[in-house]
Amino acid sequence: MTDHDGLYKELLKTFFKEFMELFFPEAARWIDFTYTEFLSEEIVVDIKGGTRKRLDILIKTRLKGKKAYILVHKEPQAYYEKAFPERMFLYAARLYEKHRLPVLPIAILSYKRKKPEPEKFGWSLPFLEVMQFRYYRLQLRRYKWRDFMHSNNPVAAALLSSMDYNESDKVQMKVEFVRMMTRLELNPAKMHLLAVFFDTYLPLKEKEEQQVWREIEQVYGKAGEEVMEWKTTFEKYAEKRGRKEGKEEVAVKLLKLGVEPKVIETATGLTAAKLAALKGKEKGAALQDGESGGAVEVN
């Protein structure tokens, strides 16, 4: 089962500024991105519903030119839920009650439904409109992937695979994703994160993956060795799909690059226990290298 919360949490922690600038530029102009604090283990309780929800993506930041803080609450939603607007209101109310800070709620809807979803919640009486609560809604399937393929924003590259497309577009989408990646000057860890995110939401069959790289070679020719070297460990894993040693090799490299364990679980299918064992094994190997005076190199 895909850990949508974990994937979006890692993406937004890494590219918060780029995300806001791409989809909510008006809000981005007000936010002071020099101060961002990611809050963890934030629990919201629905008393009537009897549920407890841990918010994975909650960011404390502040506004430019104004002495105010703002809690940016992002809610990745991967399935349709009729009562979702009410839940957004309850989360925002509980957060305000606890922190007494303005809350900017953002709903990221990644399911395939294209019908416009609500972006407000409230109630009124025959004689009074009591309350209107609004939030930002990002419904990815209502965006056309071709409109973003020339963007130099890393978030656009990752979310390309969650936008509207036809099955016949999949190979070209991956080709354009690789082109986007070659234009971005990112370190290997960030490039791996984007690749894992993209491939999770747009998995290709082996023949389709091979077609992608044939087209890339045709575009860049033999001189495009740098492009071919970008072929990430996650994509190399796809070539040797089903082989246990391939999965573990990918997991070890992603651990070294600092990728969140939950994201690695999603990408490789390995259990949390197996990842913990691999992490312990690598830590022991690193200690031995340190004792012998050797350097540990991350490829």
Side-chain angles (χ1 to χ4, degrees):
M1 183 176 178
T2 301
D3 178 17
H4 298 285
D5 285 352
L7 284 169
Y8 275 93
K9 178 181 180 182
E10 190 68 21
L11 181 71
L12 296 174
K13 280 181 66 175
T14 306
F15 298 108
F16 170 53
K17 181 174 184 288
E18 291 83 354
F19 173 83
M20 295 301 296
E21 289 176 340
L22 182 65
F23 292 111
F24 307 109
E26 185 178 355
R29 285 193 288 270
W30 279 92
I31 295 175
D32 179 3
F33 291 104
T34 63
Y35 176 85
T36 53
E37 178 186 354
F38 288 84
L39 307 180
S40 60
E41 302 302 322
E42 190 78 22
I43 304 294
V44 174
V45 180
D46 179 354
I47 298 174
K48 183 178 183 299
T51 61
R52 289 164 56 88
K53 163 75 175 178
R54 179 172 63 84
L55 303 181
D56 284 318
I57 308 171
L58 185 62
I59 305 165
K60 183 179 179 182
T61 185
R62 57 192 176 197
L63 301 180
K64 295 177 181 176
K66 187 176 181 180
K67 293 182 178 180
Y69 285 88
I70 180 170
L71 291 173
V72 180
H73 162 221
K74 291 183 168 64
E75 177 67 17
Q77 180 79 351
Y79 56 90
Y80 173 72
E81 181 184 352
K82 188 176 181 179
F84 183 71
E86 179 186 47
R87 185 154 63 85
M88 287 292 290
F89 164 69
L90 291 173
Y91 287 173
R94 297 285 185 266
L95 288 172
Y96 180 79
E97 180 183 33
K98 179 177 179 179
H99 296 280
R100 289 299 195 272
L101 293 172
V103 178
L104 173 60
I106 302 175
I108 307 171
L109 308 175
S110 59
Y111 46 76
K112 295 183 179 180
R113 180 180 164 104
K114 296 179 185 178
K115 182 180 177 180
E117 299 295 348
E119 51 190 0
K120 60 184 179 180
F121 172 79
W123 63 86
S124 62
L125 302 173
F127 48 86
L128 178 68
E129 183 175 319
V130 179
M131 198 275 295
Q132 276 286 357
F133 165 76
R134 299 185 62 199
Y135 54 91
Y136 275 151
R137 178 203 63 199
L138 175 60
Q139 196 170 346
L140 290 168
R141 284 289 178 170
R142 292 180 58 79
Y143 289 85
K144 301 291 185 182
W145 74 271
R146 294 179 186 277
D147 293 340
F148 291 83
M149 63 188 233
H150 298 298
S151 172
N152 290 323
N153 189 306
V155 175
L159 293 180
L160 209 66
S161 58
S162 298
M163 296 179 184
D164 185 39
Y165 65 87
N166 298 319
E167 284 295 309
S168 58
D169 294 337
K170 291 171 70 175
V171 169
Q172 187 185 354
M173 285 177 69
K174 183 61 176 284
V175 171
E176 296 301 335
F177 171 73
V178 174
R179 286 176 172 173
M180 292 173 76
M181 294 293 287
T182 61
R183 296 197 301 266
L184 300 173
E185 296 181 0
L186 301 174
N187 63 43
K190 290 182 178 180
M191 294 179 79
H192 277 76
L193 170 61
L194 296 179
V196 168
F197 194 101
F198 181 92
D199 285 345
T200 296
Y201 289 97
L202 192 80
L204 297 182
K205 297 176 182 178
E206 187 174 350
K207 288 184 179 180
E208 293 172 326
E209 194 73 44
Q210 291 171 353
Q211 184 181 344
V212 167
W213 292 101
R214 281 198 300 270
E215 292 192 21
I216 291 296
E217 287 187 59
Q218 289 174 2
V219 171
Y220 289 92
K222 295 297 182 182
E225 293 181 1
E226 291 183 4
V227 178
M228 297 307 293
E229 286 176 6
W230 176 83
K231 202 171 186 181
T232 67
T233 53
F234 183 65
E235 287 161 331
K236 290 176 183 176
Y237 153 65
E239 293 177 352
K240 39 188 174 181
R241 187 169 297 158
R243 289 176 53 186
K244 180 180 177 182
E245 61 271 23
K247 293 182 182 181
E248 293 184 0
E249 178 188 349
V250 171
V252 168
K253 289 192 176 183
L254 292 178
L255 283 169
K256 286 181 178 179
L257 290 167
V259 176
E260 287 272 339
K262 282 188 176 292
V263 176
I264 303 174
E265 288 177 42
T266 300
T268 64
L270 296 176
T271 64
K274 184 62 182 177
L275 285 180
L278 289 173
K279 192 172 183 179
K281 185 177 178 181
E282 283 302 305
K283 186 176 180 181
L287 287 173
Q288 285 186 350
D289 284 342
E291 290 171 359
S292 62
V296 179
E297 180 180 355
V298 179
N299 295 319

